[in-house]
Amino acid sequence: MKSHARVVVIGGGVVGCSVLYHLTKFGWTDVVLLERSELTSGSTWHAAGGMHTINGDPNVAKLQKYTVELYKEIEEYSGQDIGLHMTSGLMLAATNERFDWMKSLLAKGKYSGGEATLISAQEAHEMMPLLDPKQFVGAVFDPHEGHLDPYGTTHAYAKSAKKNGAEIYLHTKVEDLVQLEDGTWRVITNKGEIRAEHVVNAAGLWAREVGRMVGLELPVLAMEHMYLITEDMPEVIEFNKTTGKELMHCVDFDGEIYIRQERNGMLMGTYEKDCRPWSPIETPWTFGHELLAEDLERITGELEVGFRHFPAFNNAGIKKIINGPFTFSPDGNPLVGPVRGMTNFWSACAVMAGFSQGGGVGLALAQWIINGDPGFDVFAMDVCRYGDYATLAYTNAKVRENYSRRFSIRYPNEELPAGRPLLTTPIYDRLKAAGAVFGASYGLETALWFAPEGVEDAFSWRRSTDFEAVGREAKAVRDSVGLMETSGFAKYMVSGEGAHDWLDRMLACNLPEVGRMALAPMLNEAGKLIGDFTVANLDDEDFLIIGSGIAEDYHMRWFESHLPEDGSVDIEALNLSLVGLSIAGPKSREVLAKLTHLDVSDEAMPFMSVREMDLGMAPALVGRVSYTGDLGYEIWMRPEYQRYLFDALMEAGAEFGISLFGLRALNALRLEKGFGSWSREYRPLYGPLEAGLSRFVALKKDVSFIGKQAALEEKLSGGALRLRTFVVDAKDADVLGDEPISFNGEVCGWVTSGGYAHASNVSVAMGYVPKALADEVDGWSLEILGDSVSATLQPMSLFDANGSRMRS
Ligand SMILES: Cc1cc2nc3c(=O)[nH]c(=O)nc-3n(C[C@H](O)[C@H](O)[C@H](O)COP(=O)(O)OP(=O)(O)OC[C@H]3O[C@@H](n4cnc5c(N)ncnc54)[C@H](O)[C@@H]3O)c2cc1C
């Protein structure tokens, strides 16, 4: 065994082998894979080997497309047969609701060249005669689906990597990992030790245990999963004979099953509601090439529906039942990337669809290790999308929920209940008593809207029961004053004598003077947006940064990995040790004034100023800024003061009819103002010019901030895209995000977010279009639930275009 390697990959399943192959493909050949047994000895060997390109997240869909397209390459390069069967596939809808869901899923893929199409149940039957068309209302046909041999595929990756110079050591179990002062890793195995610059955790079923070797509790859990294989079926043999083709894959969402041909019979698997975690606390190291006990009773309900939908199964004998474990994260997407707070420790685990996603995971991770950037927007599978609230028990609750809902519809306004409520702020009960309907964001219960007595959130693709109430909340802000909780925003305190200079390099904006705030884009080296913050200069050595709550770990990973080594800068994520309330609307200044003897007039406290002040008896930090685009204030306080301040503000606002508003009303308000939001309009896909943020990028400042060169180049070239707002001719449903945007009938852009802008009484979409078309006002159309609707580009923001409301 080698004594040193640049990268050690732990785990020889399909994911580890893909990572190894991609590292060598990009020229890193001093790389080693350690496997405690034989290759495929985790979940890989008993997989059904199915793969497809469709995913609810278009960025993950792209990586799946890459994976599927890679198979021919590795088969040819390695000379290893991977048993590839590109049969194509159907997704079947048994209800109209399901068909609506499929239309929205399909729309998401359109701008990235997805080739799937909607077809009728009868057309589906003609393609796949085993299904009973009377049971379905329609289907999606996807030409890029199929299945392969998991063993052959894993070996094809491995052989290709070896051909490029990688080494693979079998029967070599990693028993411990120790990081040395110089940042290198001692990888301690049962066969000796290897020193490595980078370690990749691709340990699949044991990824949690390998994480624990370095003190990590990764949010990953294995679930039992069953599929059955039938004896030969005459219907299958007949179809093969008459058409010369194999039967295609089917995912029957309402039956919660998937089927495909296996030799002369069929394979049927299910994601059952009555699901079972496997080894919820610790995966035994003794587990090897064995299967779990079959338990058909647990899946009888799903099988009955399956047999009804595919009647030929009723006459088929069952040859074999496979029950094996494989791993999931709480939302079902992989956990990929560098782990926050560690040097060169990489995660490539929780890949539940290794044969759809393994190639993309390997590609992203190899690029990340080699170039410091994955080369794509991979936030949907970034290991940093979970904070430390994602404990073992939380993961258990969420993974079980996710597994049992794998084929369920998730409505755009649906909040899933498992693992909640977990994090709450002191005013939670007060908000609840006022009718708050909560969603969970980064583990925190956050008010979405306030329901009148007797009204509940009804999940739908169309406008729903919250529509009137959200409208009232939004209008109350515009007409008088509203109050919302902002504790869910991420808050970072940057302090120290080096804080100013360091932030000047990290953020692309001019840093504000003491007592002022600024909008602060953050760029990566490639000049793409990796953050949009508000930064408040408290005293030149203390800066409060406010950002997106869901990106807290993501941003902390970036900040911490760029801290100077001399200790001159400290950064702390304040989490819920600082909580917030925001008041907004034309009467908000009067409300604030009632709680302080200080002058809060526009002259004394202008737009974007920040100051500490007592409000009533509570010390608070108050910034004059509001994401509503209106006159407004963000008020930050220690949690023990939040209830007092909430009551005080509500009392002070009573004479103006102060109204509580939630995240949905905030969304409506920011849309009509044309304000983008993190992870929708602003993400590492876009440059600041494209995103309309170039006025906040200080190209002239005398500091070479990260991404400056690339931002200069973007300015020179003009970028390729522009973010634009559209008024949409929508009827009873608004855009959700990721729908295609067409100009004169040609798809040329995509929606990033949208909804109904209640105070302006119009349906709004924001999205990216080619720069060359970005000044065209007419000729646009968008897709909503499969229908094309016309849209008009808005050159100016719909609300308060000159900003006088927030500035005066
Ligand atoms: C019944 C069933 C059906 C499935 N069907 C499909 C399907 O149709 N399509 C699809 O895409 N996916 C399917 N899957 C899921 C698929 O199997 C997984 O996505 C995939 O196997 C994940 O691969 P992995 O490399 O991450 O993990 P694993 O396959 O678990 O590999 C991890 C490897 O790491 C090794 N290892 C662990 N710890 C150490 C250590 N300390 N030292 C050295 N080596 C170590 C293990 O021995 C193992 O070989 C199915 C799974 C099951 C159970």
Side-chain angles (χ1 to χ4, degrees):
M1 191 161 77
K2 275 179 149 184
S3 59
H4 286 80
R6 206 156 182 195
V7 184
V8 165
V9 178
I10 304 171
V14 64
V15 174
C17 291
S18 168
V19 172
L20 192 74
Y21 166 62
H22 281 91
L23 285 166
T24 62
K25 186 176 171 179
F26 301 131
W28 278 29
T29 52
D30 179 17
V31 292
V32 159
L33 184 143
L34 304 179
E35 166 55 51
R36 61 175 196 115
S37 175
E38 299 286 339
L39 296 183
T40 76
S41 294
S43 52
T44 297
W45 71 276
H46 50 234
M51 33 93 170
H52 55 94
T53 55
I54 295 178
N55 187 287
D57 185 299
N59 295 303
V60 178
K62 270 187 225 161
L63 291 183
Q64 292 189 187
K65 190 158 181 268
Y66 168 82
T67 303
V68 172
E69 286 169 0
L70 184 69
Y71 288 128
K72 284 221 167 70
E73 174 185 320
I74 56 161
E75 189 169 43
E76 268 171 40
Y77 191 63
S78 64
Q80 165 76 47
D81 180 8
I82 66 166
L84 190 60
H85 298 249
M86 288 307 287
T87 58
S88 67
L90 293 174
M91 295 198 307
L92 296 159
T95 63
N96 287 325
E97 277 298 274
R98 174 73 66 185
F99 210 33
D100 276 354
W101 173 78
M102 285 185 181
K103 288 173 191 167
S104 89
L105 196 65
L106 213 60
K108 290 181 180 196
K110 277 202 182 153
Y111 66 80
S112 50
E115 291 169 42
T117 45
L118 286 174
I119 58 172
S120 68
Q122 189 52 37
E123 286 170 309
H125 174 65
E126 281 154 24
M127 292 175 169
M128 171 54 173
L130 260 51
L131 68 84
D132 175 2
K134 292 194 292 298
Q135 307 289 338
F136 299 102
V137 296
V140 167
F141 170 69
D142 180 5
H144 297 290
E145 279 189 37
H147 61 270
L148 38 68
D149 163 25
Y151 176 91
T153 304
T154 308
H155 279 266
Y157 278 126
K159 282 186 184 169
S160 301
K162 283 214 275 201
K163 194 169 162 182
N164 291 342
E167 294 190 21
I168 296 179
Y169 302 115
L170 302 179
H171 301 285
T172 307
K173 179 184 166 219
V174 175
E175 297 188 322
D176 206 358
L177 293 163
V178 178
Q179 192 157 36
L180 300 173
E181 287 269 298
D182 65 358
T184 59
W185 289 93
R186 279 178 64 205
V187 182
I188 299 158
T189 80
N190 56 341
K191 301 262 178 81
E193 204 173 304
I194 303 190
R195 192 69 63 78
E197 280 172 42
H198 300 263
V199 169
V200 177
N201 177 2
L205 288 178
W206 294 266
R208 190 180 45 185
E209 286 64 30
V210 168
R212 285 175 186 160
M213 292 177 189
V214 296
L216 269 181
E217 191 61 45
L218 286 165
V220 54
L221 174 69
M223 298 294 292
E224 293 191 17
H225 182 66
M226 262 183 280
Y227 63 82
L228 58 85
I229 296 172
T230 70
E231 303 281 2
D232 290 358
M233 290 167 65
E235 296 84 350
V236 176
I237 295 168
E238 175 64 20
F239 179 86
N240 294 162
K241 206 163 85 193
T242 50
T243 63
K245 288 194 220 160
E246 260 185 283
L247 283 161
M248 62 178 64
H249 275 216
C250 288
V251 176
D252 170 5
F253 283 92
D254 300 276
E256 315 216 287
I257 53 164
Y258 58 89
I259 65 167
R260 72 162 169 84
Q261 185 171 338
E262 173 70 17
R263 299 179 192 273
N264 288 329
M266 295 295 291
L267 177 156
M268 180 182 277
T270 175
Y271 285 84
E272 67 278 15
K273 289 269 177 278
D274 185 14
C275 57
R276 297 280 188 280
W278 178 73
S279 296
I281 311 294
E282 187 157 2
T283 307
W285 289 105
T286 47
F287 188 75
H289 268 252
E290 59 254 40
L291 289 170
L292 308 176
E294 59 196 59
D295 184 2
L296 269 191
E297 221 164 85
R298 231 173 61 216
I299 60 171
T300 314
E302 285 82 5
L303 292 186
E304 272 170 13
V305 183
F307 284 26
R308 197 168 66 239
H309 288 182
F310 301 90
F313 275 86
N314 285 305
N315 306 322
I318 296 177
K319 186 160 78 182
K320 207 167 162 194
I321 297 164
I322 304 281
N323 184 11
F326 68 123
T327 53
F328 294 76
S329 72
D331 64 9
N333 274 339
L335 298 171
V336 180
V339 173
R340 177 187 158 197
M342 296 198 168
T343 310
N344 296 341
F345 187 81
W346 303 84
S347 174
C349 63
V351 185
M352 62 82 46
F355 298 95
S356 295
Q357 300 178 334
V361 168
L363 172 74
L365 197 74
Q367 299 198 128
W368 218 333
I369 293 173
I370 294 170
N371 307 325
D373 188 277
F376 306 87
D377 186 336
V378 294
F379 188 71
M381 57 182 194
D382 194 323
V383 62
C384 268
R385 71 187 182 282
Y386 290 103
D388 54 15
Y389 65 89
T391 56
L392 188 71
Y394 172 89
T395 302
N396 189 303
K398 277 307 204 195
V399 168
R400 279 187 291 132
E401 177 184 66
N402 185 272
Y403 182 98
S404 67
R405 293 181 46 92
R406 168 109 171 100
F407 288 152
S408 305
I409 297 175
R410 167 107 189 241
Y411 292 92
N413 60 343
E414 183 171 6
E415 297 292 326
L416 301 180
R420 297 178 51 205
L422 180 57
L423 303 176
T424 56
T425 59
I427 59 165
Y428 173 76
D429 293 333
R430 278 169 167 67
L431 297 180
K432 198 165 179 180
V437 176
F438 290 94
S441 181
Y442 211 64
L444 178 70
E445 293 298 313
T446 310
L448 302 173
W449 64 290
F450 292 84
E453 191 88 18
V455 182
E456 284 180 4
D457 236 353
F459 305 138
S460 169
W461 295 96
R462 295 159 205 278
R463 291 175 198 151
S464 186
T465 43
D466 61 342
F467 189 75
E468 302 294 330
V470 171
R472 275 195 301 276
E473 291 169 29
K475 284 179 192 149
V477 171
R478 293 288 184 241
D479 293 344
S480 179
V481 57
L483 182 153
M484 83 168 274
E485 176 169 38
T486 54
S487 307
F489 294 177
K491 297 132 284 179
Y492 313 92
M493 187 60 79
V494 180
S495 337
E497 54 182 289
H500 186 282
D501 290 354
W502 180 71
L503 272 181
D504 225 4
R505 286 195 306 280
M506 298 301 293
L507 303 177
C509 62
N510 280 319
L511 286 189
E513 301 291 317
V514 175
R516 305 279 306 156
M517 291 182 288
L519 291 181
M522 185 161 75
L523 309 179
N524 61 15
E525 293 292 356
K528 301 294 182 196
L529 286 165
I530 55 166
D532 71 315
F533 304 109
T534 310
V535 56
N537 186 344
L538 305 182
D539 60 11
D540 258 347
E541 288 203 2
D542 295 284
F543 293 81
L544 178 68
I545 298 181
I546 310 291
S548 162
I550 57 165
E552 186 182 280
D553 240 39
Y554 171 84
H555 284 137
M556 279 302 278
R557 179 177 65 194
W558 180 261
F559 286 137
E560 286 172 343
S561 65
H562 287 80
L563 280 179
E565 281 175 9
D566 61 9
S568 61
V569 185
D570 270 340
I571 179 158
E572 188 190 354
L574 299 176
N575 309 110
L576 296 176
S577 66
L578 191 71
V579 294
L581 298 169
S582 168
I583 50 172
K587 297 290 181 195
S588 54
R589 181 183 289 124
E590 288 168 66
V591 174
L592 187 72
K594 286 178 74 176
L595 294 182
T596 175
H597 62 278
L598 298 172
D599 182 0
V600 292
S601 66
D602 185 46
E603 295 72 38
M605 193 172 181
F607 181 56
M608 296 307 265
S609 56
V610 59
R611 61 196 284 190
E612 286 178 356
M613 56 171 83
D614 290 349
L615 295 179
M617 294 184 284
L621 182 72
V622 183
R624 198 185 135 188
V625 64
S626 173
Y627 193 41
T628 61
D630 221 309
L631 173 67
Y633 302 85
E634 282 180 0
I635 304 167
W636 300 102
M637 71 233 50
R638 298 212 315 262
E640 51 272 37
Y641 288 110
Q642 194 194 27
R643 295 203 307 181
Y644 164 80
L645 256 176
F646 176 82
D647 293 344
L649 286 162
M650 290 302 283
E651 202 183 310
E655 67 171 290
F656 309 105
I658 193 167
S659 162
L660 293 171
F661 69 106
L663 272 187
R664 290 188 186 161
L666 181 68
N667 194 45
L669 294 164
R670 66 102 190 164
L671 280 170
E672 65 181 7
K673 183 67 188 157
F675 285 167
S677 71
W678 175 252
S679 94
R680 303 301 321 180
E681 285 73 34
Y682 307 142
R683 49 192 310 164
L685 296 169
Y686 314 117
L689 180 60
E690 295 179 323
L693 293 178
S694 53
R695 66 189 184 282
F696 305 113
V697 174
L699 290 174
K700 290 198 182 124
K701 80 174 170 180
D702 195 19
V703 175
S704 80
F705 60 86
I706 297 175
K708 185 174 187 180
Q709 188 52 39
L712 275 165
E713 282 160 24
E714 190 199 27
K715 191 178 175 199
L716 282 177
S717 73
L721 303 168
R722 286 294 181 273
L723 178 63
R724 289 291 181 261
T725 299
F726 297 86
V727 165
V728 187
D729 194 8
K731 290 179 192 69
D732 62 346
D734 304 298
V735 294
L736 305 167
D738 298 316
E739 294 87 347
I741 302 178
S742 301
F743 182 70
N744 288 342
E746 290 284 316
V747 174
C748 65
W750 57 90
V751 172
T752 46
S753 63
Y756 198 79
H758 291 269
S760 302
N761 261 326
V762 286
S763 181
V764 170
M766 292 181 82
Y768 281 89
V769 297
K771 183 183 66 172
L773 298 174
D775 295 326
E776 301 287 342
V777 171
D778 300 314
W780 298 97
S781 57
L782 310 177
E783 193 176 309
I784 298 182
L785 299 178
D787 294 331
S788 175
V789 288
S790 58
T792 313
L793 189 145
Q794 298 299 304
M796 311 282 279
S797 71
L798 286 156
F799 170 72
D800 191 27
N802 63 9
S804 60
R805 279 275 285 259
M806 61 183 187
R807 284 170 203 282
S808 56

